[in-house]
Amino acid sequence: MHDHAPSLVRAAGPSYFPIALVARMPYAMMVVGVLTLVVAGRDSLAFGGLNSAVVGLGAACVGPLLGAAADRFGQRRVLLVSGLASATALGLMAWVVYSPLPAAAVLAVAFLVGASAPQIAPMSRSRLVQIIGARIAPGRRSRTFDSTMAYESAADELVFIVGPFVVGILGTTLDPWAPVAGAAVLTLVFVTAFALHPSALAAAGRDEDALPPAPVRDLFRPAVLAVVVGIFGVGLFFGAMLTSLTSFMADHGRPASAGLVYGVMGIGSAALALGVALFPSSFSLRARWLVFGATMLAGAALLPNVSSVAAMCAVLLLIGCGIGPTMVTQYSLGALRSPVGRSATVMTILGSAVIVGQSLASAVTGELADRFGTSTALFVPIAAAGVVVLAGMANRVLSRPVPPRDPARPDLELTPTRPVLTSS
């Protein structure tokens, strides 16, 4: 009966996925690009780091508001406005750093860079979930949803590996302002293309026939907050791990290699994230969170005992095998628990929670490394992984009981207005 129902690629359009992938690249280039630019223009590593943190702060403060606006007015309008504002802010950043204006002006523009950053990744997730509910045959929705969340997480990790690499190439071969200018051009071209893509109509905001959006208080339900805290823990882990690893590599005389070694974690993470789509439906989301969160924690517990770079790579590979599936699971739960008409809001809140956690843990871990050394700093990732596991335990308690499984029905039903999980 559903033999002729479209696949997600056909439903979204074959050009959707490459456009959405490149459109999220500027977001991955902004923080490192601003750091490179400010260090070169103002000759201060500390001031460069402060500006990078302010970029993250701007994105965290305004990101959820952009998501709420997209739920209310549709993604197309919000992305066109934020894309133009972002490209303008990036151009302004390239100018103000070399201008005679004081440090406060540079910080103000850095905040604008983060605040105007188009929230492509969460809006892509929200858009695809709505397409799955509207266009995919009911019997295939569960598997399609799992595959989509896995792909989206892997795509995020890919651009956050490639983005800093592109910044490094442009900054060294051309000029320190080139990465920021390049991000502005990519934003104008690909964010605009993403906004104008026909798939945006699937997430065009509520109309007269749609259900009214759920009240804002539904965003603060315990089941939603458990996911926010869990993904905040992942953000804490990212910040703590990169900062403590930088200290570890400096102790071994190779501080410049910290990013390369950190990338090892992304190998296992991306591979297992993509593999989530192959998990049986009997392996529930709440169980996945606990299993892979525990894998993160077990790997992190080994960090204080690591003495060589090779051993560190092995431990990071293990930790990555836990991080990828954990993030996929958290984003899946976020999508499934989004109140009616609030999916873009929830997705941007989750993305912002990662940034806030990363910024906070970077600052705390850096301070501990400076004062007490690498051995102390390496305990912070353990605490961060502990937050992930504790939130997973809370999620298990908050998940509603699983009804007896009917093999004739899919374990996941998605409607255009609200996703419903029957096996969380």
Side-chain angles (χ1 to χ4, degrees), residues 15 19 26 44 68 74 117 124 129 149 151 154 158 162 165 181 199 215 217 311 328 335 338 374 381 387 393 418:
S15 63
I19 289 173
S44 170
S124 177
V129 165
M149 290 297 111
Y151 165 78
L158 176 64
V162 174
F165 179 72
S199 61
R217 66 174 179 271
V328 173
S338 297
T374 302
V387 172
M393 292 177 177
R418 184 170 199 164

Side-chain angles (χ1 to χ4, degrees), residues 207-275:
D207 55 35
E208 295 167 356
D209 299 322
L211 292 173
V216 173
R217 66 174 179 271
D218 282 4
L219 295 171
F220 299 95
R221 289 179 301 166
V224 176
L225 292 178
V227 181
V228 175
V229 173
I231 209 161
F232 171 73
V234 174
L236 288 174
F237 187 89
F238 284 151
M241 190 67 250
L242 180 56
T243 308
S244 59
L245 178 62
T246 302
S247 179
F248 177 86
M249 295 302 293
D251 291 348
H252 285 73
R254 296 162 60 185
S257 300
L260 190 62
V261 175
Y262 185 71
V264 172
M265 191 169 70
I267 297 172
S269 184
L272 266 290
L274 288 170

Side-chain angles (χ1 to χ4, degrees), residues 241 245 261-262 264-265 311-321:
M241 190 67 250
L245 178 62
V261 175
Y262 185 71
V264 172
M265 191 169 70
M312 178 61 77
C313 289
V315 171
L316 288 174
L317 195 62
L318 171 63
I319 292 171
C321 292

Side-chain angles (χ1 to χ4, degrees), residues 8 16 122-136 141 145 148-149 202 331-332 334-336 338 343 347 414-419:
L8 182 60
Y16 175 83
M123 290 199 190
S124 177
R125 285 182 172 91
S126 174
R127 190 182 296 191
L128 291 175
V129 165
Q130 295 187 52
I131 291 173
I132 291 169
R135 302 286 305 280
I136 303 300
R141 287 176 188 163
F145 177 81
T148 301
M149 290 297 111
Y331 273 115
S332 298
L336 294 164
S338 297
S343 63
M347 290 293 105
L414 290 163
T415 69
T417 54
R418 184 170 199 164

Side-chain angles (χ1 to χ4, degrees), residues 112-393:
L112 290 177
V113 168
S116 61
Q119 301 287 320
I120 299 297
M123 290 199 190
S124 177
R125 285 182 172 91
S126 174
R127 190 182 296 191
L128 291 175
V129 165
Q130 295 187 52
I131 291 173
I132 291 169
R135 302 286 305 280
I136 303 300
R140 288 167 36 204
R141 287 176 188 163
S142 177
R143 180 67 69 187
T144 303
F145 177 81
D146 285 346
S147 301
T148 301
M149 290 297 111
Y151 165 78
E152 286 288 303
S153 293
D156 281 347
E157 296 197 35
L158 176 64
V159 297
F160 274 98
I161 291 170
V162 174
F165 179 72
V166 171
V167 168
I169 290 177
L170 293 176
T172 53
T173 59
L174 296 178
D175 201 87
W177 55 260
V180 173
V185 173
L186 286 175
T187 298
L188 278 177
V189 176
F190 286 94
V191 171
T192 301
F194 182 80
L196 296 176
H197 194 273
S199 61
L201 298 177
R206 62 190 179 94
D207 55 35
E208 295 167 356
D209 299 322
L211 292 173
V216 173
R217 66 174 179 271
D218 282 4
L219 295 171
F220 299 95
R221 289 179 301 166
V224 176
L225 292 178
V227 181
V228 175
V229 173
I231 209 161
F232 171 73
V234 174
L236 288 174
F237 187 89
F238 284 151
M241 190 67 250
L242 180 56
T243 308
S244 59
L245 178 62
T246 302
S247 179
F248 177 86
M249 295 302 293
D251 291 348
H252 285 73
R254 296 162 60 185
S257 300
L260 190 62
V261 175
Y262 185 71
V264 172
M265 191 169 70
I267 297 172
S269 184
L272 266 290
L274 288 170
V276 166
L278 303 177
F279 293 159
S281 57
S282 57
F283 188 13
S284 68
L285 291 175
R286 62 178 181 272
R288 294 177 194 180
W289 185 342
L290 288 173
V291 168
F292 293 106
T295 303
M296 279 180 66
L297 183 57
L302 299 174
L303 289 170
N305 300 316
V306 171
S307 58
S308 69
V309 175
M312 178 61 77
C313 289
V315 171
L316 288 174
L317 195 62
L318 171 63
I319 292 171
C321 292
I323 286 181
T326 299
M327 288 195 76
V328 173
T329 300
Q330 291 166 336
Y331 273 115
S332 298
L333 286 169
L336 294 164
R337 292 176 182 172
S338 297
V340 172
R342 301 285 184 185
S343 63
T345 308
V346 171
M347 290 293 105
T348 47
I349 287 173
L350 295 181
S352 297
V354 175
I355 295 173
V356 172
Q358 190 171 18
S359 301
L360 178 62
S362 295
V364 171
T365 310
E367 184 70 18
L368 288 173
D370 284 343
R371 288 194 177 193
F372 305 107
T374 302
S375 57
T376 300
L378 285 170
F379 279 95
V380 185
I382 301 176
V387 172
V388 175
V389 172
L390 288 173
M393 292 177 177

Side-chain angles (χ1 to χ4, degrees), residues 47 51 54-55 58 89 92-93 96 102-115:
F47 188 55
N51 275 271
V54 170
V55 171
L92 194 58
M93 192 75 205
V96 75
V106 181
L107 290 169
V109 176
F111 183 86
L112 290 177
V113 168

